[in-house]
Amino acid sequence: MESRMSHEQYLTLDLIARLAGRFGPTSRVAKELPGWLEYLTEVDCPERPRSRPGAIWWTKFRQISRNLVPKAGGGDGEILNRNCGALGAHFGLSQVDVGILTFAAHYKVFDGFEHVVDGALDTKEVTLPLLLSWFCGAVEPEIRAALRPSGRLVASGLVQRNRGGRYNRMPFDLSERLLTALMADVSGVGDLIGIMFPTAQPPQAEWQDFEGLGHQAEIMRDLTVRALASRARGVNILLYGPPGTGKTEFAKVLASQIGAELRAVGEADDEGGEPSRRERLAEMGMACRMLGERSDTILLFDEMEDLFGGANPFYGNDRPSKVHANRMLETNPIPVIWTTNSVEACDPAFLRRMSYSALMRPPSGRVRARIWQRLETRHAVGIPMASLPDLAERHDQAPALVSDAMRVARLCDGGDQMVTRVLDAATRLARGGADPAPRHHSEAPWSPELANADLDLRLIETRLAAPDAPRRVSFCLDGPAGTGKSAWARQLARTIGMPVIEKRASDLISKWLGESEQNIARAFADARADGAMLIFDEADSLLADRRNAERSWEVSQVNEMLTWMESHPLPFVCTTNLVEKLDAATQRRFTFRIRFDHLSGDQLDSAWRAHFPLPIPDGLLRLDRLAPGDFANVARRMHALDETRPREILRELAREAEAKEGATRPIGFGR
């Protein structure tokens, strides 16, 4: 009965037998072969003569080695051979190319085969082309031709050229993902593609969740559809923005929207193995070649900066060829969606080859509320549905961070308070340990009866709330602190049905050159994307008179503000306590300039009644320079002291009035 062994055992022992037949008893190979055979089998080889080895001993060894390989059958090696053949047929490789691929795969996977190959090469009597010629059944010149960098095998991306070195005996390497696929017992090349480039999970978001992208989403959808239909080459879409803003999720939604498959390239494998840059680039090349004839597939490459980052000494020799990368971007046969957290980290030469790019931002308030409801359904934290819109309004973090916070709250059984704490901690971390600023920081809520403005605010609200009202309007609200400027701006936004984006000077001004201008531009862009009313508090810090500037960046900062103010298509508001310090060019940039002044005599009574359910004391009307915010501040102070006597409250209001610059004060010791 014939003995059978696994295919990988057969190949290894057949290689030993071939080496024994090729070399004589005095060779370095002959000195090593008995040890290799005993390492791989339980056979006892005849002892090598201590004196000069003779032909009789070597003939016995040759016979033993040949008898051990009568026939092969089954095993992982046979699966590997079959899969290499399937990939070779798919890529149009020659039989020699397939043989070299199979040899390299056996070398990477099977320790015994690697042991014998390395040992043979270490003797310096055996060359790799010789081993490959035996394995592939081809002459050595044909083998050398197939190993050239310009050969079809290397161009396929299935193998990567190895850098020379003591431990790199093989001139090429195979990625771990490819090896995993080659070892899988599958029925065809389609299954191999599924293992190497798995289809992305279905999206959890919806197309409507990205309404903030506006026409950009439609452009990307139309571009992808037409590129697939026409087999256009070199179509690359870049999604960039802070972590957690939904770049990968939008790619999934886009693919689902057009009925295409989204396949991830160059990601960690199922066992957590992280591919190198060269492996990621090679996998992209393989994916383009394996899937290039399909008209229903889009590729996704996350963290583009890892591959196309600018000059960095830490990349070393692992940095991919710029010429090769450029050529790939220009000729990839199917659309590729690239993502990055920072375009600043990417080489401009690669960015210029993007067909279209879109900045991904955290969703607007209306979309956030919808996402929060869906996340609550998924995580079952126990947050009342009625509370979700308020939480979504209060926390503008990206959906991924909200999902993480809900997961923590679920694990800790903490409810909505735990979600808030986790999100606040995440914001604190992103700000380098600083607590997040409150979303709204006015001293008092809006009370129309306490507004002392020089224009009819109700008339403005009524007109702008009309369906045909213009949206390209702007306001400069000036006046003392606490007079209700910011409160009315938010009231106006509520009246006309717009969300609010509120920015203070501290949110925008940066110590880094050029970053303040970027922050200003981003604030206007966010308002356009969300359809929001933009409110700038402390606008005198952003629009200071350029004639008094001492540094060039102070001028460029004001120029940036003025440029965006003139072209912004939506309502925006600037508030200031120091209108006299604004640049003269702001005069024509505002549709409305409204002065908010201190409370009038009649309004003092109304302010007292709004904050203190007590009799109005004599002397209240003699106070000047009081604002609604002053009453709110004194009310909090009196509540803390549990003080309810009208005369003491009046005394505190007088102190507020006297503390203001320009207030009328008595002179001398009698004050």
Side-chain angles (χ1 to χ4, degrees):
M1 181 177 179
E2 289 185 315
S3 62
R4 297 180 68 86
M5 63 186 69
S6 66
H7 194 81
E8 58 271 19
Q9 289 176 306
Y10 163 76
L11 291 175
T12 306
L13 295 175
D14 181 66
L15 177 57
I16 291 176
R18 283 177 177 270
L19 290 168
R22 173 69 178 258
F23 293 92
T26 60
S27 65
R28 289 192 292 270
V29 169
K31 183 178 178 180
E32 302 294 337
L33 279 178
W36 300 343
L37 196 60
E38 291 179 346
Y39 169 78
L40 295 167
T41 68
E42 298 179 355
V43 172
D44 292 326
C45 295
E47 186 175 354
R48 186 173 184 266
R50 294 182 182 276
S51 59
R52 184 176 178 86
I56 297 176
W57 165 75
W58 192 235
T59 301
K60 290 181 180 179
F61 180 81
R62 283 176 169 174
Q63 187 61 43
I64 291 173
S65 64
R66 178 51 58 192
N67 289 341
L68 287 173
V69 287
K71 194 168 184 180
D76 291 336
E78 193 169 274
I79 294 173
L80 189 150
N81 279 18
R82 185 174 68 244
N83 288 338
C84 286
L87 283 180
H90 184 81
F91 280 93
L93 301 181
S94 68
Q95 286 300 112
V96 173
D97 292 329
V98 174
I100 295 174
L101 175 64
T102 307
F103 181 94
H106 277 277
Y107 178 85
K108 290 284 291 183
V109 171
F110 300 117
D111 293 339
F113 190 75
E114 179 190 27
H115 180 77
V116 173
V117 170
D118 286 347
L121 295 175
D122 287 344
T123 67
K124 307 302 182 185
E125 294 177 333
V126 178
T127 64
L128 183 61
L130 173 63
L131 296 180
L132 288 171
S133 69
W134 291 348
F135 192 91
C136 302
V139 295
E140 288 191 42
E142 196 173 354
I143 297 295
R144 296 182 189 278
L147 291 176
R148 290 174 183 164
S150 59
R152 183 180 289 271
L153 178 61
V154 176
S156 71
L158 292 171
V159 299
Q160 299 98 54
R161 299 288 299 179
N162 251 339
R163 297 185 297 273
R166 179 180 178 184
Y167 300 105
N168 285 336
R169 299 178 178 91
M170 299 293 290
F172 37 72
D173 198 3
L174 278 68
S175 72
E176 291 299 323
R177 191 183 298 276
L178 174 58
L179 290 172
T180 300
L182 291 176
M183 293 298 293
D185 190 3
V186 296
S187 58
V189 72
D191 293 335
L192 292 175
I193 292 174
I195 295 173
M196 295 173 64
F197 311 111
T199 304
Q201 294 294 320
Q204 296 175 341
E206 301 172 355
W207 183 258
Q208 294 79 4
D209 292 342
F210 297 94
E211 62 183 28
L213 288 171
H215 67 277
Q216 296 185 93
E218 298 172 3
I219 291 175
M220 288 184 279
R221 180 184 60 194
D222 293 346
L223 173 61
T224 308
V225 168
R226 294 177 185 275
L228 289 173
S230 63
R231 302 287 179 88
R233 289 180 171 270
V235 174
N236 301 282
I237 294 174
L238 174 61
L239 305 177
Y240 64 98
T245 47
K247 298 182 286 294
T248 301
E249 192 66 13
F250 176 73
K252 295 179 183 179
V253 170
L254 175 61
S256 175
Q257 180 78 3
I258 65 175
E261 290 183 350
L262 182 70
R263 294 184 181 270
V265 177
E267 294 187 340
D269 57 32
D270 293 337
E271 298 179 356
E274 182 179 359
S276 68
R277 290 182 182 85
R278 290 192 311 122
E279 287 177 333
R280 299 190 79 194
L281 186 62
E283 288 187 12
M284 175 58 76
M286 276 193 289
C288 288
R289 290 175 178 86
M290 294 180 76
L291 303 167
E293 298 302 317
R294 302 183 62 164
S295 59
D296 62 347
T297 301
I298 305 171
L299 298 181
L300 170 65
F301 196 104
D302 271 325
E303 299 179 5
M304 170 187 173
E305 68 275 13
D306 181 54
L307 187 62
F308 296 145
N312 190 322
F314 294 104
Y315 285 158
N317 292 329
D318 195 31
R319 182 172 178 79
S321 162
K322 191 169 183 177
V323 173
H324 177 61
N326 283 341
R327 187 180 301 118
M328 182 190 67
L329 288 171
E330 294 167 354
T331 61
N332 50 292
I334 53 178
V336 182
I337 298 177
W338 307 82
T339 76
T340 180
N341 296 333
S342 173
V343 291
E344 288 80 7
C346 298
D347 192 314
F350 300 130
L351 296 179
R352 286 198 299 270
R353 287 167 170 81
M354 293 295 117
S355 309
Y356 193 79
S357 61
L359 172 62
M360 305 295 291
R361 302 180 181 86
S364 64
R366 180 175 62 254
V367 173
R368 283 202 307 274
R370 190 164 61 239
I371 293 174
W372 275 67
Q373 291 173 358
R374 193 161 58 244
L375 290 175
E376 164 59 25
T377 301
R378 186 196 313 166
H379 293 287
V381 179
I383 303 175
M385 295 300 289
S387 302
L388 290 172
D390 291 337
L391 286 169
E393 175 65 25
R394 192 186 318 159
H395 299 288
D396 60 357
Q397 286 94 336
L401 292 177
V402 177
S403 181
D404 290 343
M406 287 192 176
R407 179 173 175 270
V408 172
R410 172 66 175 170
L411 290 173
C412 298
D413 197 21
D416 55 347
Q417 291 186 351
M418 179 62 71
V419 172
T420 293
R421 293 191 185 103
V422 174
L423 290 175
D424 287 345
T427 303
R428 192 178 302 113
L429 176 64
R431 293 170 59 91
D435 286 324
R439 294 291 304 279
H440 303 315
H441 49 276
S442 65
E443 292 295 330
W446 173 245
S447 299
E449 68 277 5
L450 301 183
N452 188 13
D454 60 358
L455 285 181
D456 189 338
L457 302 182
R458 291 186 184 276
L459 177 62
I460 296 174
E461 292 174 23
T462 302
R463 177 66 189 100
L464 292 184
D468 61 342
R471 281 292 177 263
R472 189 173 179 177
V473 292
S474 55
F475 298 83
C476 177
L477 310 182
D478 77 273
T483 51
K485 301 182 294 295
S486 298
W488 181 71
R490 289 191 290 275
Q491 165 64 20
L492 177 62
R494 284 191 294 269
T495 301
I496 63 180
M498 296 184 70
V500 170
I501 293 179
E502 193 165 351
K503 298 291 183 181
R504 291 174 294 184
S506 59
D507 299 326
L508 303 174
I509 296 177
S510 170
K511 62 181 179 181
W512 304 111
L513 187 64
E515 192 166 287
S516 298
E517 290 85 344
Q518 293 178 12
N519 292 339
I520 290 169
R522 189 174 296 117
F524 280 99
D526 289 345
R528 291 195 304 274
D530 292 352
M533 176 182 288
L534 188 56
I535 302 176
F536 292 104
D537 278 331
E538 308 162 8
D540 44 276
S541 299
L542 301 169
L543 293 167
D545 195 331
R546 287 170 290 182
R547 291 172 297 182
N548 300 325
E550 298 179 357
R551 302 172 184 84
S552 60
W553 61 262
E554 294 175 303
V555 175
S556 62
Q557 174 185 294
V558 176
N559 290 341
E560 188 76 16
M561 275 290 294
L562 293 172
T563 298
W564 285 109
M565 288 167 60
E566 190 160 23
S567 61
H568 191 58
L570 297 174
F572 71 90
V573 178
C574 290
T575 72
T576 178
N577 303 337
L578 303 169
V579 67
E580 66 278 3
K581 293 188 175 182
L582 296 184
D583 192 274
T586 62
Q587 290 283 346
R588 64 182 182 84
R589 295 311 201 283
F590 293 112
T591 313
F592 296 94
R593 303 176 65 92
I594 305 176
R595 170 75 181 180
F596 284 71
D597 216 332
H598 294 111
L599 294 168
S600 66
D602 294 340
Q603 288 176 318
L604 288 172
D605 287 350
S606 299
W608 179 279
R609 284 191 291 269
H611 291 90
F612 309 109
L614 300 168
I616 298 176
D618 294 336
L620 177 64
L621 298 183
R622 290 197 293 271
L623 299 180
D624 64 348
R625 296 181 178 271
L626 285 178
D630 299 323
F631 278 84
N633 189 32
V634 170
R636 286 193 295 270
R637 190 185 311 156
M638 296 297 96
H639 179 73
L641 297 173
D642 196 23
E643 178 61 71
T644 59
R645 291 173 295 176
R647 297 304 304 175
E648 291 302 317
I649 297 174
L650 182 63
R651 187 189 302 275
E652 292 300 314
L653 287 171
R655 289 178 59 192
E656 291 288 324
E658 292 173 4
K660 297 192 176 187
E661 182 180 355
T664 304
R665 303 183 184 184
I667 300 175
F669 296 103
R671 52 175 302 211

